[in-house]
Amino acid sequence: MKKLLPFLFFIVGGIFTAFAQDTIKFKPSGKPEALVFTNFNSSFSGDKNINRFEITRAYFGYGYNFSPFWSGRVVFDVANPGVGKFQLTALLKFGYLQFQKNNLTVKFGMIGTTQYDVQEKFWGYRYILKSFQDQYNMGPSADIGFSAAYKIGKLVSADLIIQNGEGYKTLDVDSVLKTGVGVTFTPVKSLLFRAYYDRMKKGTANQQTTALMAGYTNKLFKMGAEYNFQNDNNLVRGHDISGYSLYGTVFLNAATNVFAHYDYLTSENGQNQLQSWNYSKDGQLYMAGLEFSPVKGLKFAPNFQLWRPRDQSRSNTASVFMNAEIRF
């Protein structure tokens, strides 16, 4: 942490210098935002069939621009908290102050994490399926902390994040911090490479995440690939998890896309166990579908998903989904 202090002082100094030079006439303004993910799905596993309607996420927030460089944003996430008897609970997802000028962007507060932000945006179908690290609980999508990103010319950008590590659903319960660094390289407009590393140590557990990603885009299609590894998952010694993800989209026209996605998740044997610690949840995910956007703000995506568990004594799960995204 001490090694990062000079870098932080440099960033803060740059912000106040820019603030002092801000003489541009500006009219403060803001606007509300809303985003809803909903779906109907029918799943088959062995002789069991489950049909259900779901609202997996509903985001409601407000963004405000104080000046050309200073802005703030507050967003509440209404979803299943995953604990207790409540089915839908409102949680603070984002609540931060942002400074952005030229090639520098700084955020402080309840911020989006940088661990898989690039991968999620490139995948582009968050309302249907989370990106690999988010889907398999390798880190939270938001947390209390500080982040800074800087574009080094046209080809390279670097980012730093210091966060509590517990995520937006849990308040800070200890003095352990999680620090991450990432580098994004775009040698040409259509090609993207991303490398990320973070570390959080508590007691004998030393959780470290390594993520590598590559993506290619042109007018006809885009495709991406990523590899993810994390040792001591959730700060439990010996709980190592890894896997890779492949995904792509074919652009049929301005309103219609065809997409496919594949995940391979595996965990390592630890503590002399016969089976790996996450054996019952390891497996492979296959998905393919069609996205249609009739008007701006609405997306519909019929798709098919197949989960093949690593444990061959368990049945495959085949699901048919109709997902929808509503944004206004």
Side-chain angles (χ1 to χ4, degrees):
M1 185 68 184
K2 293 182 179 179
K3 296 180 180 179
L4 296 174
L5 289 178
F7 178 71
L8 297 179
F9 284 128
F10 172 77
I11 292 175
V12 173
I15 291 175
F16 282 106
T17 300
F19 178 72
Q21 296 173 349
D22 181 10
T23 58
I24 301 175
K25 293 183 179 180
F26 181 82
K27 183 178 180 180
S29 63
K31 64 178 182 179
E33 60 180 275
L35 178 63
V36 178
F37 300 160
T38 183
N39 74 77
F40 170 76
N41 64 81
S42 181
S43 299
F44 302 85
S45 180
D47 58 354
K48 296 181 180 179
N49 173 225
I50 299 176
N51 302 306
R52 57 190 172 187
F53 288 94
E54 295 180 306
I55 294 181
T56 56
R57 279 291 187 274
Y59 299 107
F60 302 98
Y62 192 84
Y64 190 81
N65 295 310
F66 300 98
S67 78
F69 311 123
W70 293 91
S71 64
R73 186 181 179 212
V74 174
V75 176
F76 287 91
D77 177 8
V78 181
N80 188 331
V83 294
K85 298 182 180 180
F86 294 103
Q87 296 300 309
L88 291 175
T89 301
L91 299 171
L92 179 65
K93 182 65 180 283
F94 302 119
Y96 60 82
L97 180 67
Q98 174 178 292
F99 173 85
Q100 185 174 23
K101 184 176 182 181
N102 299 328
N103 295 330
L104 177 65
T105 301
V106 177
K107 296 180 182 180
F108 178 77
M110 184 70 80
I111 60 177
T113 58
T114 57
Q115 184 172 341
Y116 43 81
D117 182 59
V118 174
Q119 295 92 318
E120 183 176 277
K121 289 178 179 177
F122 191 90
W123 158 233
Y125 301 97
R126 171 62 181 81
Y127 71 102
I128 304 172
L129 181 72
K130 299 175 183 178
S131 58
F132 188 95
Q133 294 183 64
D134 194 9
Q135 181 72 16
Y136 305 115
N137 300 314
M138 295 177 71
S141 57
D143 201 353
I144 300 176
F146 165 91
S147 70
Y150 188 80
K151 293 183 179 180
I152 308 171
K154 296 181 179 181
L155 305 181
V156 181
S157 62
D159 51 83
L160 165 73
I161 185 168
I162 303 172
Q163 62 197 86
N164 280 342
E166 283 88 6
Y168 67 98
K169 295 182 180 180
T170 306
L171 295 176
D172 187 24
V173 295
D174 51 40
S175 60
V176 176
L177 296 179
K178 181 179 178 180
T179 303
V181 292
V183 177
T184 304
F185 178 51
T186 52
V188 293
K189 186 177 180 179
S190 59
L191 196 58
L192 167 72
F193 296 99
R194 168 77 173 172
Y196 173 87
Y197 171 82
D198 68 36
R199 181 175 182 267
M200 180 169 60
K201 182 176 175 59
K202 183 178 181 179
T204 59
N206 184 18
Q207 179 182 294
Q208 299 178 75
T209 308
T210 301
L212 302 173
M213 179 258 183
Y216 175 80
T217 307
N218 62 29
K219 295 181 179 180
L220 300 177
F221 67 92
K222 71 174 181 179
M223 56 184 181
E226 58 181 271
Y227 171 76
N228 304 284
F229 174 80
Q230 186 176 79
N231 64 291
D232 294 356
N233 176 258
N234 289 324
L235 290 172
V236 178
R237 188 175 180 183
H239 283 197
D240 299 346
I241 189 171
S242 64
Y244 57 88
S245 187
L246 307 172
Y247 37 84
T249 298
V250 176
F251 307 114
L252 300 181
N253 54 52
T256 310
N257 306 320
V258 175
F259 59 87
H261 188 107
Y262 171 76
D263 284 345
Y264 177 83
L265 174 70
T266 186
S267 55
E268 303 297 330
N269 288 324
Q271 301 175 353
N272 297 319
Q273 297 175 350
L274 295 177
Q275 295 181 342
S276 61
W277 66 275
N278 202 48
Y279 185 76
S280 63
K281 296 181 180 180
D282 290 347
Q284 302 174 70
L285 174 67
Y286 301 83
M287 185 179 71
L290 173 74
E291 180 186 68
F292 175 65
S293 179
V295 294
K296 183 178 180 181
L298 290 180
K299 294 180 180 179
F300 298 97
N303 62 91
F304 173 78
Q305 301 182 23
L306 175 67
W307 174 257
R308 296 182 60 185
R310 182 179 178 183
D311 183 355
Q312 296 184 3
S313 66
R314 302 174 61 192
S315 300
N316 295 344
T317 300
S319 304
V320 178
F321 278 79
M322 171 57 80
N323 294 82
E325 178 187 281
I326 308 166
R327 184 189 298 268
F328 55 93

